[in-house]
């Protein structure tokens, strides 16, 4: 402050007749402003530490977000010193695709990391954002979840392990970026008795929940079993709250609290059916609390729309670093901010063994959903969620025929092509307004926004996974498949064909030069029941297509058209000898066509072992259970 004083001429004070006390106050204001700017611009001597507290599988069921049943004293206290963002959404309703977007600042559908448990290669110019922090002198630690769906480059973390801590920093002058993740509230903590008991073992009697006093979402059956799951969810969150409070206290004990930016967030919504893996608010709306000392207001609420791909740009912006041009997210705190978001986007693709391509766009009030495979049930059978008690109850009560209307919607055999919800009037998203004439303008607007996003982001989910696997062999990474010189034109053809419903237009697209377009044309025809002889002949011709994904789609369409004779041998050949994702596609068709698959039971039985991935085994197992009523192995 002395240098600032020396640079200010005393003569100016005399000439302006400004009182000395006011001059000192102005000087103090300048100094404070420079301190704030040093935080925002990452001045080397005052670069802020950054702490991320992330957790798994929770919606904003915290007291500070208005949940009266939540017992979360530590985060509630922290929120009083920070800003809450109640309109924060993840790009997927499941961890790994979402986390790939968080760590790169890019949509998983652009990178090719959109299918659950896939493995992509990052293009050379795209780096996980902690690498940029390390370049700028940060010490970066991760404790300890990665799960990015690509191999983590060596330059991302200084330390990544279950013991990683900011205290590992060998240089006290170096700022740190430290990530801690709590996995105790993962869906496995609700479903698994042993894990639930272990995670909640330190809760007091007063921190336990009375299941009878909890309010269930309307799409769940109100039974003691479901209430027990809902109770467990709340108690796991209370255990997480203690974990977060302990880390914040450690920061204070180390004397670092006032020079550390803290982010608290969850990777997606609650780990129960119709939430996790889904694109409704229940699956994508998450808590986000941020404290930037000297910048954010205490106990504040910021209602702007935030996407999880905005986390990386915001961290780099607060560290004073230039944002990479390939980022698809935006910084929402700091200086030089772009316009606030009008929309947030979400994508669902393969979840373990089942494909279901769904996209969503949400503004501050309305959510639009596009179901690209409406022929599929809302909840296809998937081994992992089926093990949960709530899913079992949904199946049981559905079989009894006593589900409520809201629950019955979720258990339907088919989905509408489009869904539209008013979140102010219908927070649980059970009243689909897509067919309401009064909502046509909003439906059209959000549909157009969605279609533009698909093209702008090069949505790789509109290429069948077997095709991605085939094409990535000849390029640097799967990202390059739709980001080359002709990528936009191909993306638009894929998008437009996937949205066709007219049989004649779909039939024309069967002759497209690109296999992805031919796939969608055959898939669209398979969603109906083709009777036109000329179209049927074209589908028969596609049984010899050079691309396995197209052959399987054509075979499926012919089976649904009542012409399985030539189609079934093609499906069998792909299932027996195809590449892994083409095999999975074929297995799903066998499961879908019910008794038509009966002649190929021996092939399905062979699929219970010696497969390139466990998902083929799971689908074959399910198909056999339906065909024979026998409980085969589950993997």
């Amino acid at each position: 402050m002395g240098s600032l004083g020396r640079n200010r001429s005393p003569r100016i004070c005399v000439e302006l007749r400004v009182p000395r006390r006011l001059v000192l106050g102005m000087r103090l204001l300048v100094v404070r402003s420079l301190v704030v700017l040093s935080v925002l611009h990452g001045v080397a001597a005052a670069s802020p530490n950054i702490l991320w507290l992330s957790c798994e599988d929770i919606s904003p069921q915290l007291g500070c977000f208005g949940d009266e049943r939540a017992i979360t004293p530590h985060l509630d206290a922290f929120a009083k010193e920070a800003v809450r963002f109640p309109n924060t959404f993840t790009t997927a309703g499941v961890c790994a695709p979402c986390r790939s977007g968080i760590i790169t600042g890019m949509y998983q559908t652009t990178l090719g990391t959109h299918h659950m448990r896939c493995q992509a290669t990052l293009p050379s110019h795209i780096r996980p954002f902690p690498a940029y922090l390390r370049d700028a002198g940060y010490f970066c630690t991760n404790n300890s979840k990665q799960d990015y769906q690509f191999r983590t480059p060596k330059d991302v973390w200084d330390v990544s392990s279950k013991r990683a801590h900011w205290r590992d920093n060998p240089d006290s002058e170096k700022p740190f970026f430290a990530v801690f993740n709590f996995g105790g509230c993962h869906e496995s903590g609700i479903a698994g008795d042993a894990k639930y008991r272990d995670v909640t073992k330190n809760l007091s009697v007063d921190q336990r929940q009375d299941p009878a006093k909890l309010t269930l979402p309307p799409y769940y059956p109100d039974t003691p079993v479901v209430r027990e799951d809902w109770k467990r969810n709340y108690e796991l969150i209370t255990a997480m709250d203690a974990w977060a409070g302990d880390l914040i206290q450690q920061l204070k004990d180390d004397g670092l609290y006032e020079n550390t930016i803290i982010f608290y967030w969850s990777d997606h919504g609650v780990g129960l059916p119709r939430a996790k893996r889904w694109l409704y608010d229940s699956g994508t709306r998450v808590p986000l609390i941020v404290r930037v000392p000297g910048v954010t207001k205490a106990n504040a609420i910021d209602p702007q729309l935030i996407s999880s791909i905005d986390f990386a740009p915001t961290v780099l912006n607060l560290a004073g670093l230039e944002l990479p041009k390939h980022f698809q997210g935006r910084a929402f705190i700091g200086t030089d901010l772009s316009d606030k978001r009008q929309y947030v986007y979400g994508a669902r693709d393969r979840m373990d063994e089942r494909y279901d391509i769904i996209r969503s766009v949400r503004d501050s009030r309305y959510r639009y959903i596009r179901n690209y495979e409406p022929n599929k049930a809302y909840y296809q059978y998937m081994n992992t969620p089926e093990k949960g008690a709530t899913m079992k109850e949904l199946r049981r009560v559905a079989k009894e025929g006593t589900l409520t209307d809201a629950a019955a919607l979720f258990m339907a055999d088919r989905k509408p092509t489009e869904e539209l919800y008013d979140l102010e009037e219908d927070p649980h998203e059970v009243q689909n307004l897509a067919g309401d004439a009064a909502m046509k303008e909003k439906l059209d607007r959000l549909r157009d926004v969605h279609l533009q996003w698909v093209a702008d982001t090069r949505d790789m989910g509109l290429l069948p996974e077997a095709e991605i696997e085939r094409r990535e062999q000849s390029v640097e990474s799967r990202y390059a498949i739709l980001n080359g010189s002709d990528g936009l034109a191909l993306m638009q053809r894929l998008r437009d064909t996937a949205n066709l419903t007219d049989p004649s237009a779909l039939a024309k697209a069967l002759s497209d030069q690109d296999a992805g377009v031919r796939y969608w044309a055959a898939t669209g025809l398979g969603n109906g029941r083709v009777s036109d002889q000329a179209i049927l002949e074209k589908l028969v011709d596609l049984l010899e297509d050079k691309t396995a994904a197209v052959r399987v789609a054509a075979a499926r369409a012919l089976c649904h058209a009542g012409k399985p004779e030539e189609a079934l041998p093609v499906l069998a050949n792909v299932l027996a000898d195809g590449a892994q994702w083409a095999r999975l596609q074929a297995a799903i068709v066998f499961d879908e066509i019910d008794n038509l698959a009966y002649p190929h039971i021996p092939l399905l039985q062979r699929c219970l072992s010696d497969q390139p991935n466990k998902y083929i085994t799971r689908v074959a197992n399910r198909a056999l259970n339906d065909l024979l009523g026998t409980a085969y192995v589950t993997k």
Side-chain angles (χ1 to χ4, degrees), residues 224-516:
V225 171
V226 175
R227 286 190 170 275
E228 172 64 20
D229 270 6
W230 207 234
K231 163 187 175 290
R232 290 185 176 193
N233 173 56
Y234 273 99
E235 292 180 354
L236 293 168
I237 289 173
T238 298
M240 177 277 299
D241 176 75
W243 164 87
D246 177 66
L247 283 164
I248 292 171
Q249 186 59 49
Q250 287 182 46
L251 201 66
K252 292 178 178 179
D253 293 344
D254 289 355
L256 297 170
Y257 187 66
E258 291 304 331
N259 189 36
T260 301
I261 295 168
I262 302 177
F263 283 66
Y264 164 79
W265 51 272
S266 171
D267 59 357
H268 56 76
V270 60
L272 289 169
R274 204 187 182 271
K276 184 169 184 173
R277 301 175 181 87
W278 287 89
L279 299 181
Y280 301 113
D281 269 25
S282 54
T284 61
R285 193 172 202 157
V286 295
L288 173 65
I289 310 172
V290 183
R291 182 178 187 266
V292 183
V295 177
T296 52
K297 294 180 180 180
N299 200 24
I301 296 176
D302 188 330
Q304 67 173 300
L305 288 171
I306 306 295
S307 170
S308 56
I309 64 165
D310 298 335
F311 296 177
T314 303
V315 167
L316 295 191
N317 194 48
L318 289 171
L321 304 183
E322 183 178 354
L323 304 189
K325 289 183 171 56
H326 60 260
F327 270 9
Q328 293 170 311
R330 63 174 292 274
F332 55 88
I333 306 175
T335 59
D336 300 322
L337 301 181
S338 59
D339 293 340
K340 292 182 179 179
R341 283 182 171 276
Q342 290 183 279
Y343 309 102
V344 289
Y345 304 90
R348 171 187 169 129
D349 292 275
R350 177 173 54 74
M351 295 294 166
D352 295 344
E353 68 265 36
R354 298 290 180 175
Y355 292 103
D356 198 356
I357 301 173
I358 307 174
R359 298 292 180 264
S360 76
V361 56
R362 192 196 194 282
D363 64 14
S364 59
R365 178 168 178 173
Y366 295 93
R367 179 184 294 280
Y368 168 83
I369 291 178
R370 175 63 164 90
N371 292 304
Y372 279 85
E373 299 181 272
N375 59 293
K376 294 182 176 178
Y378 266 108
Y379 216 102
Q380 300 180 80
Y381 190 97
M382 292 175 284
N383 273 29
T384 298
E386 294 289 342
K387 296 174 183 176
T390 294
M391 194 65 235
K392 290 178 180 177
E393 278 295 273
L394 279 163
R395 298 288 187 201
R396 181 186 68 80
V397 180
K399 190 173 182 180
E400 290 179 351
T402 57
L403 286 174
T404 63
D405 290 344
L409 280 173
F410 181 54
M411 298 301 289
D413 291 336
R414 292 178 62 90
K415 303 183 290 294
T417 300
E418 293 181 308
E419 301 174 56
L420 179 67
Y421 300 101
D422 180 344
L423 275 301
E424 285 188 12
E425 299 295 328
D426 178 26
H428 292 292
E429 296 164 284
V430 295
Q431 299 294 328
N432 183 9
L433 303 176
D436 187 338
M439 304 300 293
K440 185 179 185 305
E441 182 179 347
K442 291 181 175 62
L443 179 69
D444 290 346
R445 173 174 60 84
L446 291 175
R447 180 194 299 122
D448 289 345
V449 168
H450 156 67
L451 293 173
Q452 189 63 51
W453 177 84
V454 167
D456 289 345
T457 61
R458 307 295 197 275
D459 187 344
M460 195 166 292
L462 296 192
L463 272 176
E465 191 170 15
E467 263 301 275
I468 293 174
E469 183 180 44
R470 185 180 71 85
R471 296 185 195 201
E472 70 180 329
Q473 305 305 316
S474 58
V475 293
E476 177 197 19
S477 66
R478 56 182 56 180
Y479 167 89
I481 294 171
L482 291 173
N483 279 276
S485 57
D486 61 344
L488 178 58
L490 173 56
M491 185 71 256
Q492 289 171 334
R493 293 210 316 281
L494 286 168
R495 176 199 65 185
D496 294 348
T497 306
N499 281 277
L500 288 175
T501 56
D502 178 59
S504 60
L506 287 166
K508 183 178 180 181
L510 291 174
S511 302
D512 193 275
Q513 63 183 2
D514 190 88

